[in-house]
Amino acid sequence: GESVGLHLPTLSVQEGDNSIINCAYSNSASDYFIWYKQESGKGPQFIIDIRSNMDKRQGQRVTVLLNKTVKHLSLQIAATQPGDSAVYFCAEKKNNAGNMLTFGGGTRLMVKP
Amino acid sequence: SAVISQKPSRDICQRGTSLTIQCQVDSQVTMMFWYRQQPGQSLTLIATANQGSEATYESGFVIDKFPISRPNLTFSTLTVSNMSPEDSSIYLCSVTGGLNQPQHFGDGTRLSIL
């Protein structure tokens, strides 16, 4: 595969454990946040989003937490599986910036069997 | 979500040449975007492809280098002009249905310039 994520920070977890991927965003005026998963050879895949008027949102096996006070976003994956191994990106949209997204640097998640 | 197809999926090109990348969506979408993802890096927005008018480019990207077309609500092209090895990247198309809705991505075009 191509070299997506070669130089990214890596989180290594045991299969079955919970994973927490963190993201610090830059702009206090951001009002919409998204987590993406990118597997080798593929484009980013939407996981979950959250608006700034919420501090928590749950999906299937995933939870996003938003702490606006410290401009911090996290993605929690329950019962991590080998198929969760990928690079994860957070993205933020500034208020009044149309639909323009600014992506974070990404974290590689490696799941050990 | 919409199905997004990009062509070509990969290419190897000679420096100084140009390549046009196509993005086709299976349904009409409000907004289409083009991103670049350099090796080992995150995604950077190149431009918003506007239907029926000139694209809106982000800082550091210009129309002469990255001309974009969007003739209708389901199709867009990005041309990488006068390529140099520094243009070797993954180029990604994304679409969204509207404000504060997630963008969905194609699988990208992996471009290598020799």
Side-chain angles (χ1 to χ4, degrees):
Chain A
E2 73 282 343
S3 57
V4 171
L6 269 186
H7 308 293
L8 299 175
T10 299
L11 174 65
S12 186
V13 299
Q14 202 70 40
E15 181 179 359
D17 288 351
N18 297 333
S19 303
I20 300 176
I21 301 171
N22 295 304
C23 179
Y25 64 92
S26 59
N27 197 310
S28 57
S30 293
D31 63 355
Y32 179 60
F33 305 86
I34 308 178
W35 280 100
Y36 287 95
K37 172 187 180 183
Q38 187 175 28
E39 298 174 281
S40 181
K42 296 191 174 182
Q45 176 188 359
F46 168 75
I47 302 173
I48 192 167
D49 58 359
I50 188 168
R51 289 173 172 71
S52 59
N53 61 352
M54 303 172 69
D55 52 21
K56 180 179 180 179
R57 190 164 187 228
Q58 288 184 289
Q60 186 177 12
R61 278 203 310 121
V62 295
T63 300
V64 55
L65 298 177
L66 175 62
N67 185 330
K68 294 181 287 294
T69 302
V70 296
K71 292 188 287 187
H72 184 267
L73 192 68
S74 69
L75 177 70
Q76 301 178 0
I77 304 174
T80 313
Q81 302 169 359
D84 295 327
S85 294
V87 176
Y88 289 80
F89 293 99
C90 66
E92 63 182 298
K93 182 193 78 67
K94 297 176 192 176
N95 190 18
N96 297 326
N99 245 25
M100 177 184 164
L101 293 179
T102 301
F103 279 77
T107 298
R108 174 179 293 279
L109 176 65
M110 297 179 64
V111 181
K112 297 177 288 186
Chain B
S1 60
V3 176
I4 304 157
S5 302
Q6 277 188 242
K7 291 182 180 179
S9 59
R10 61 177 65 241
D11 208 340
I12 301 172
C13 301
Q14 297 295 321
R15 69 177 67 201
T17 63
S18 298
L19 179 74
T20 295
I21 302 167
Q22 298 180 2
C23 179
Q24 178 74 54
V25 192
D26 68 344
S27 59
Q28 292 186 346
V29 291
T30 305
M31 304 182 78
M32 298 180 76
F33 306 89
W34 287 98
Y35 287 81
R36 181 173 72 184
Q37 186 175 29
Q38 295 180 302
Q41 303 292 320
S42 185
L43 284 77
T44 301
L45 180 65
I46 297 171
T48 302
N50 300 310
Q51 194 261 327
S53 64
E54 191 172 288
T56 304
Y57 290 85
E58 298 304 312
S59 176
F61 298 97
V62 295
I63 187 171
D64 290 346
K65 176 68 176 176
F66 297 103
I68 288 170
S69 79
R70 189 178 174 195
N72 55 52
L73 293 175
T74 64
F75 186 77
S76 178
T77 67
L78 168 75
T79 299
V80 186
S81 302
N82 188 24
M83 289 183 285
S84 67
E86 293 72 34
D87 295 319
S88 296
S89 282
I90 303 169
Y91 292 86
L92 294 147
C93 168
S94 76
V95 305
T96 184
L99 191 64
N100 285 358
Q101 295 186 27
Q103 291 183 25
H104 297 281
F105 287 81
D107 280 338
T109 295
R110 285 140 187 82
L111 187 56
S112 298
I113 292 92
L114 304 178

